């Protein structure tokens, strides 16, 4: 994780909030990719449209904050997006699992 530091681009609290927000969207994307268990259902479930929404939101955040983030914040956001995009492509190519009988 990035080192939290006070810099000219914002307060320490803002940095923590930003990193927390990136982490929240990342976790939701990973749950939607079936990489993490859904805490509500206690099952690993794949929902690619939802995963795409969370990834797209992080990409929008990257574009809207360009030039306004510290180097560490930028690295965390870019690394998170790279990992999520690779996982999305991997899951998109995986064969769909047949529905389980009720």
């Amino acid at each position: 994780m990035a080192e939290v530091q006070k810099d000219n681009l914002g307060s320490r609290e803002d940095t923590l909030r930003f990193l927390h927000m990136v982490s929240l969207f990342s976790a939701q994307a990973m749950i939607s990719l079936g990489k993490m268990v859904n805490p509500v259902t206690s099952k690993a479930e794949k929902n690619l449209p939802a995963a795409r929404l969370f990834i797209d939101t992080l990409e929008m955040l990257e574009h809207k904050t360009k030039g306004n983030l510290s180097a560490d914040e930028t690295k965390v956001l870019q690394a998170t997006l790279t990992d999520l995009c690779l996982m999305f492509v991997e899951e998109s190519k995986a064969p769909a699992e047949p529905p389980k009988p009720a």
Side-chain angles (χ1 to χ4, degrees), residues 7-69:
D7 55 33
N8 298 346
L9 298 174
S11 71
R12 177 182 176 103
E13 292 79 20
D14 285 346
T15 297
L16 289 172
R17 282 186 198 104
F18 177 79
L19 295 174
H20 187 242
M21 183 178 61
V22 170
S23 176
L24 287 171
F25 280 112
S26 175
Q28 289 300 312
M30 290 181 67
I31 289 169
S32 298
L33 289 167
K35 300 292 186 182
M36 290 175 54
V37 172
N38 184 329
V40 175
T41 63
S42 299
K43 297 177 186 172
E45 304 164 322
K46 196 186 302 187
N47 182 343
L48 293 180
R52 186 75 255 168
L53 174 66
F54 291 115
I55 294 168
D56 288 347
T57 301
L58 285 170
E59 287 177 337
M60 176 275 304
L61 188 62
E62 179 183 42
H63 294 295
K64 291 289 190 176
T65 59
K66 192 171 185 109
N68 292 314
L69 300 176

Side-chain angles (χ1 to χ4, degrees), residues 1 19 21-27 29-30 54-55 58 73-87:
M1 194 84 184
L19 295 174
M21 183 178 61
V22 170
S23 176
L24 287 171
F25 280 112
S26 175
M30 290 181 67
F54 291 115
I55 294 168
L58 285 170
E73 291 166 335
T74 300
K75 285 179 194 174
V76 168
L77 182 55
Q78 288 176 344
T80 299
L81 277 168
T82 298
D83 291 345
L84 290 173
C85 287
L86 289 172
M87 284 186 256

